[in-house]
Amino acid sequence: MSEISWGLWKLLLNGIWITVQLTVYSAALAAVVAFVIGLARTHRLWIVRFLSGAYFEIFRGTSALILMFWIFFVLPIGFGWQLVPMWAAVLALGLSYGAYGSEVVRGAVKAVAPAQREAGVALGFSPAQQLRKIILPQAWPGMVPPFNNLLIEMLKGSALVSIMGVGDITFGASLVRNATGQSAPVYTIILVMYFVLAFILTRGMRVVERHAKAGIGQAPQQREGLRARMTGSRLNDFARSGATPGGGAAQ
């Protein structure tokens, strides 16, 4: 590691910033795709379910790396649109992982009890109002843990862009390795870098999960359950002692 100069260290540090940008932009696109396709797969119209299901199957069954190459090399030939490697990678990762995320959204929405939908109908809510005020607030906490896994997978999958010359962590590591001829220290360093980034993302998603659960009253329910158990225990004590809760003796 002593042979790694400051200039080579800067390649790795700059690569961290590129990797963070790739993950953030791809995650934003994937979140939009996941909610649009996931909700469309629960739509009443069969044609909407068919088209969204076709998207899900196609993008789930194709390689993100090959899709990245297709967007960068084939898309300009067919449509005349030339994207820089960075945005081609964002588009490929966002579309691919958005397909996986759509299954998370669909499953969480389907897990909401049918009685909740019936309550929305009884209140006179439109389907859009039912989705916004009843279904999504209850489904959202169940989506957070799977989304956390997908986010970590996307972070690690961003290493694919190094093949296209995007200067992420992996690309910077390959340059440092070629300059120093050292493989073990360089790749050990980037392993640690990816782990630290994944750890930070996981902790952030844990905070989001706690807020999501608190937003639907799960934390107060736990406290209420504890209070009920304490009250029940106190009543049992009174019953065993032959006294009433008001302080008098039982007649």
Side-chain angles (χ1 to χ4, degrees):
M1 294 180 61
S2 59
E3 298 181 12
I4 303 179
S5 64
W6 171 242
L8 296 178
W9 276 107
K10 284 184 64 177
L11 287 174
L12 295 176
L13 296 177
N14 291 337
I16 294 177
W17 174 235
I18 298 296
T19 296
V20 170
Q21 290 183 77
L22 275 169
T23 304
V24 171
Y25 297 151
S26 301
L29 176 58
V32 173
V33 171
F35 275 94
V36 171
I37 300 300
L39 294 177
R41 294 179 64 200
T42 65
H43 202 273
R44 299 188 306 275
L45 298 177
W46 73 268
I47 186 64
V48 176
R49 296 197 304 271
F50 174 79
L51 293 176
S52 58
Y55 174 93
F56 169 72
E57 294 295 342
I58 291 171
F59 282 89
R60 185 182 65 166
T62 54
S63 167
L65 178 61
I66 303 304
L67 179 61
M68 205 178 298
F69 286 155
W70 192 91
I71 292 174
F72 186 70
F73 294 109
V74 180
L75 197 63
I77 298 175
F79 301 94
W81 300 338
Q82 180 66 63
L83 297 176
V84 297
M86 174 78 170
W87 293 113
V90 168
L91 191 58
L93 292 174
L95 294 177
S96 296
Y97 285 92
Y100 292 107
S102 68
E103 183 68 5
V104 175
V105 174
R106 186 197 67 82
V109 169
K110 285 293 187 180
V112 176
Q116 300 294 325
R117 302 172 187 270
E118 295 170 2
V121 174
L123 291 172
F125 287 170
S126 66
Q129 289 176 320
Q130 294 176 36
L131 185 67
R132 180 170 55 88
K133 295 183 178 182
I134 298 177
I135 298 173
L136 283 182
Q138 297 185 63
W140 166 241
M143 300 180 193
V144 178
F147 276 159
N148 183 26
N149 287 335
L150 283 179
L151 187 60
I152 301 303
E153 287 296 324
M154 185 178 297
L155 169 66
K156 296 185 292 185
S158 66
L160 296 173
V161 304
S162 62
I163 301 176
M164 300 178 61
V166 179
D168 70 323
I169 296 175
T170 306
F171 184 78
S174 65
L175 295 180
V176 174
R177 176 185 174 276
N178 292 335
T180 62
Q182 297 182 356
S183 298
V186 173
Y187 288 119
T188 301
I189 290 170
I190 66 170
L191 274 177
V192 174
M193 287 180 175
Y194 277 112
F195 172 79
V196 171
L197 290 175
F199 184 81
I200 293 172
L201 289 176
T202 299
R203 290 302 173 186
M205 292 298 285
R206 293 281 175 82
V207 174
V208 173
E209 183 179 2
R210 285 198 296 269
H211 281 286
K213 289 182 177 180
I216 61 172
Q218 288 192 12
Q221 286 177 2
Q222 293 173 359
R223 290 194 294 270
E224 195 65 35
L226 178 61
R227 188 180 299 115
R229 288 194 298 271
M230 293 176 62
T231 303
S233 177
R234 193 177 303 131
L235 289 174
N236 290 335
D237 292 341
F238 278 121
R240 285 194 295 269
S241 64
T244 62
Q251 300 295 328

